[in-house]
Amino acid sequence: MTRFALTLEYDGTPFFGLQRQATGPSVQQAVEEAAARVTGETVTLRAAGRTDTGVHALAMRAHLDIVKAIEPFRLMEALNAHLRPNPVAVLACEVVADDWHARFSCIGRAYEYRIANRRAPLTLEANRAWQVPQPLDAEAMHEAAQALVGTHDFTTFRSVQCQAASPVKTLDQISVRREQEHVIVAAAARSFLHHQVRSMVGCLALVGMGRWRIGQVAEALEARDRQALGLNAPPHGLYFMRAVYPGEG
Amino acid sequence: MTRFALTLEYDGTPFFGLQRQATGPSVQQAVEEAAARVTGETVTLRAAGRTDTGVHALAMRAHLDIVKAIEPFRLMEALNAHLRPNPVAVLACEVVADDWHARFSCIGRAYEYRIANRRAPLTLEANRAWQVPQPLDAEAMHEAAQALVGTHDFTTFRSVQCQAASPVKTLDQISVRREQEHVIVAAAARSFLHHQVRSMVGCLALVGMGRWRIGQVAEALEARDRQALGLNAPPHGLYFMRAVYPGEG
């Protein structure tokens, strides 16, 4: 048996999230079925994160175990061939140690959230960004976001379906920047609660619109109450950007 | 009657090009039908360029004449509402003089061609870029492209369906740059022949792959023969970027 680490890019639009669901197609199912066709084996994909319906990934990390002898480059090419026409691509494939685990070995995760700050509906970027027509003050959003950095009880920013044992997480970094008509929120942590990034972005957008004062984000955090959440941003603006492992860049 | 100039953005994927076709949906038909619903009038859209099936636009300019009294901002909003779910958006709308013509007044057009230079199939960028798996030398492509600048007989780079009276055009600028895994070709001219940008990009890609010498692009141009064309790049990497009018920027 050989363990392979994969770097996956996907368009989350047609999937019911990354994880296998009884209700519809998932990224996991697409990759596992491709791997089964390549190897003749029943394989299980384990991923660094569990992205929701409509959430995208530029570099999700995952692993699978294969008995058949196959070179990593050939496995990548074969998976990509069999993944068509699913919008999932294997960007990299390498052999890792048997105890390397895409989820449990991961020590850092980074997301970006893409807001298209414009009045006109989206065309080329439909399902790729959250369209917000009101002008956003990205600097105010950045300032408000800094209250979230550090170790906190993030109950306010946690989905009621979240399965994490504790609502306490450490947010290492969050920044908000403007790039022409886009406002990009970047966040990094060891791990996140379910809906945490989308919930933080929703509240920051309220600050950007001038509907919340900068200090209200800190107040919402301190409330430790889901009812204090102003707005949950939609999934299609969210991108899983990077997973970090010990000994990697 | 008031003449309105529109700035249009569209995803060309579902359309049989910009211009109205008997064979299927077009951007022109989508906009004209939206305008008819807004005004109750039969309107004709005139555009700066005629993009093909699958070709996109970030800022196509066009005009239409409306009898009903309506403010430009309200017209834009109403068109956008009625254009849904077509991937066409009106980014700007202004009143122009009755003799302003989106096509005939236009004195400059700019296109960009987007190549995704990677081995893995495209997911989020499917139908938004041309995937070229062989490593491309963007500097060699840029150097080769400079032979195309100036006034030339572009017969080699002209579709057999091209309706222009003359194959002689003046290419003002062409540049090739790398942005991480993308290679972007930007071209500007008063006007282009049918398929000219895609044909130029196809030959430049051959140079980038090392299958053509840098000098072969100049040789293909001098041949003035469609048979000398090495490769026509596919439509889905092409974007209409900008139309220029007297007295504007």
Side-chain angles (χ1 to χ4, degrees), chain A residues 26-49:
Chain A
S26 62
V27 176
Q28 184 182 358
Q29 184 186 346
V31 177
E32 288 175 353
E33 287 178 0
R37 283 196 290 273
V38 173
T39 63
E41 301 169 30
T42 302
V43 294
T44 303
L45 188 80
R46 305 287 180 193

Side-chain angles (χ1 to χ4, degrees), chain A residues 9-11 56-58 73 77 80 84 87-91 118-124 128 239, chain B residues 9-11 56-58 73 77 80 84 87-91 118-124 128 239:
Chain A
E9 179 192 270
Y10 53 84
D11 169 6
H56 314 296
L58 296 191
F73 182 78
E77 296 279 286
N80 281 332
R84 294 174 197 269
V88 180
V90 182
L91 303 184
R118 61 184 240 174
R119 222 176 147 75
L122 301 183
T123 66
L124 288 152
R128 305 275 186 275
Y239 293 75
Chain B
E9 178 192 271
Y10 53 84
D11 169 6
H56 315 294
L58 296 190
F73 181 78
E77 296 278 287
N80 280 333
R84 293 174 198 270
V88 180
V90 183
L91 302 184
R118 61 183 239 174
R119 222 174 146 78
L122 302 182
T123 67
L124 288 152
R128 304 276 185 276
Y239 293 75

Side-chain angles (χ1 to χ4, degrees), chain A residues 97 99 126 145 186 188 234 246:
Chain A
D99 62 351

Side-chain angles (χ1 to χ4, degrees), chain A residues 54-56 58 110-116 122 125 127-132 136 141 174-179 182-188 195-205 231-241:
Chain A
V55 175
H56 314 296
L58 296 191
Y111 284 91
E112 281 196 6
Y113 195 97
R114 195 167 178 82
I115 300 173
L122 301 183
E125 237 187 341
N127 295 319
R128 305 275 186 275
W130 178 28
Q131 183 218 353
V132 174
L136 293 175
M141 292 169 68
I174 184 164
S175 65
V176 184
R177 66 184 193 272
R178 178 171 281 281
E179 290 182 1
H182 293 96
V183 174
I184 317 281
V185 182
H195 283 192
Q196 187 181 342
V197 179
R198 289 167 54 192
S199 296
M200 297 190 299
V201 169
C203 293
L204 295 175
L231 185 64
N232 198 29
H236 53 267
L238 186 59
Y239 293 75
F240 186 96
M241 299 298 286

Side-chain angles (χ1 to χ4, degrees), chain B:
Chain B
M1 186 219 84
T2 307
R3 180 159 289 189
F4 294 91
L6 307 179
T7 303
L8 301 174
E9 178 192 271
Y10 53 84
D11 169 6
T13 311
F15 297 111
F16 285 66
L18 186 140
Q19 211 170 13
R20 222 176 231 281
Q21 302 289 342
T23 43
S26 61
V27 176
Q28 184 181 358
Q29 184 186 347
V31 177
E32 289 175 352
E33 287 179 1
R37 284 195 289 272
V38 172
T39 62
E41 301 170 30
T42 303
V43 295
T44 303
L45 188 82
R46 305 286 183 197
R50 299 180 182 180
T51 58
D52 280 332
T53 303
V55 175
H56 315 294
L58 296 190
M60 175 59 74
R61 296 292 290 276
H63 77 259
L64 38 74
D65 295 332
I66 292 175
V67 177
K68 175 181 171 160
I70 187 167
E71 291 298 312
F73 181 78
R74 285 186 64 91
L75 176 60
M76 176 172 74
E77 296 278 287
L79 287 174
N80 280 333
H82 286 281
L83 275 163
R84 293 174 198 270
N86 291 292
V88 180
V90 183
L91 302 184
C93 176
E94 56 178 332
V95 173
V96 288
D98 289 359
D99 64 350
W100 188 94
H101 195 290
R103 181 173 172 202
F104 299 120
S105 305
C106 181
I107 54 171
R109 290 162 174 93
Y111 283 91
E112 280 194 8
Y113 194 96
R114 195 167 177 83
I115 300 173
N117 190 200
R118 61 183 239 174
R119 222 174 146 78
L122 302 182
T123 67
L124 288 152
E125 239 188 339
N127 295 319
R128 304 276 185 276
W130 177 28
Q131 183 218 354
V132 174
Q134 302 91 329
L136 293 174
D137 180 342
E139 287 177 32
M141 292 169 69
H142 181 78
E143 189 182 336
Q146 301 319 304
L148 301 168
V149 174
T151 304
H152 304 286
D153 178 334
F154 280 97
T155 296
T156 304
F157 303 93
R158 179 189 200 186
S159 155
V160 291
Q161 281 114 43
C162 181
Q163 290 169 18
S166 159
V168 176
K169 292 285 173 189
T170 301
L171 181 66
D172 296 324
Q173 271 192 329
I174 184 165
S175 65
V176 184
R177 67 182 192 274
R178 178 171 281 279
E179 291 181 0
Q180 288 97 41
E181 73 175 17
H182 293 97
V183 173
I184 317 281
V185 182
R190 185 178 182 102
S191 62
F192 290 91
L193 298 168
H194 190 219
H195 282 191
Q196 187 182 340
V197 179
R198 289 167 53 192
S199 296
M200 294 191 300
V201 169
C203 293
L204 295 175
L206 292 176
V207 172
M209 295 170 198
R211 285 169 53 190
W212 272 24
R213 286 173 290 103
I214 286 173
Q216 273 179 275
V217 172
E219 290 166 24
L221 175 68
E222 283 154 24
R224 295 171 204 173
D225 177 359
R226 186 69 179 164
Q227 300 303 315
L229 181 74
L231 186 64
N232 199 28
H236 54 267
L238 187 59
Y239 293 75
F240 186 96
M241 300 298 286
R242 201 167 52 252
V244 183
Y245 297 88
E248 287 190 1

Side-chain angles (χ1 to χ4, degrees), chain A:
Chain A
M1 186 217 84
T2 306
R3 180 159 289 186
F4 293 91
L6 307 179
T7 303
L8 300 174
E9 179 192 270
Y10 53 84
D11 169 6
T13 311
F15 297 111
F16 284 66
L18 185 139
Q19 211 170 13
R20 221 175 232 281
Q21 302 289 341
T23 44
S26 62
V27 176
Q28 184 182 358
Q29 184 186 346
V31 177
E32 288 175 353
E33 287 178 0
R37 283 196 290 273
V38 173
T39 63
E41 301 169 30
T42 302
V43 294
T44 303
L45 188 80
R46 305 287 180 193
R50 299 181 183 179
T51 58
D52 279 333
T53 303
V55 175
H56 314 296
L58 296 191
M60 175 59 75
R61 298 290 291 277
H63 78 259
L64 37 75
D65 295 331
I66 291 176
V67 177
K68 176 183 170 160
I70 186 168
E71 290 298 310
F73 182 78
R74 286 186 64 91
L75 175 60
M76 176 173 74
E77 296 279 286
L79 287 174
N80 281 332
H82 286 281
L83 276 164
R84 294 174 197 269
N86 292 291
V88 180
V90 182
L91 303 184
C93 178
E94 55 178 332
V95 173
V96 287
D98 288 0
D99 62 351
W100 187 95
H101 194 290
R103 181 172 172 204
F104 299 120
S105 305
C106 181
I107 53 170
R109 291 161 174 92
Y111 284 91
E112 281 196 6
Y113 195 97
R114 195 167 178 82
I115 300 173
N117 191 201
R118 61 184 240 174
R119 222 176 147 75
L122 301 183
T123 66
L124 288 152
E125 237 187 341
N127 295 319
R128 305 275 186 275
W130 178 28
Q131 183 218 353
V132 174
Q134 302 93 328
L136 293 175
D137 180 342
E139 286 178 34
M141 292 169 68
H142 181 78
E143 190 182 335
Q146 301 319 304
L148 301 169
V149 174
T151 304
H152 303 286
D153 177 334
F154 281 97
T155 295
T156 305
F157 302 95
R158 179 190 199 185
S159 155
V160 292
Q161 281 115 42
C162 181
Q163 290 169 18
S166 159
V168 176
K169 291 285 173 189
T170 301
L171 182 65
D172 295 325
Q173 272 192 328
I174 184 164
S175 65
V176 184
R177 66 184 193 272
R178 178 171 281 281
E179 290 182 1
Q180 288 97 40
E181 74 175 17
H182 293 96
V183 174
I184 317 281
V185 182
R190 184 178 181 102
S191 62
F192 290 91
L193 298 168
H194 191 220
H195 283 192
Q196 187 181 342
V197 179
R198 289 167 54 192
S199 296
M200 297 190 299
V201 169
C203 293
L204 295 175
L206 291 176
V207 171
M209 296 171 194
R211 286 169 54 190
W212 271 24
R213 286 173 289 102
I214 286 173
Q216 274 179 273
V217 172
E219 290 165 23
L221 175 68
E222 283 153 25
R224 294 172 206 175
D225 177 0
R226 186 71 180 164
Q227 301 302 315
L229 182 75
L231 185 64
N232 198 29
H236 53 267
L238 186 59
Y239 293 75
F240 186 96
M241 299 298 286
R242 198 166 57 252
V244 183
Y245 296 87
E248 287 191 0

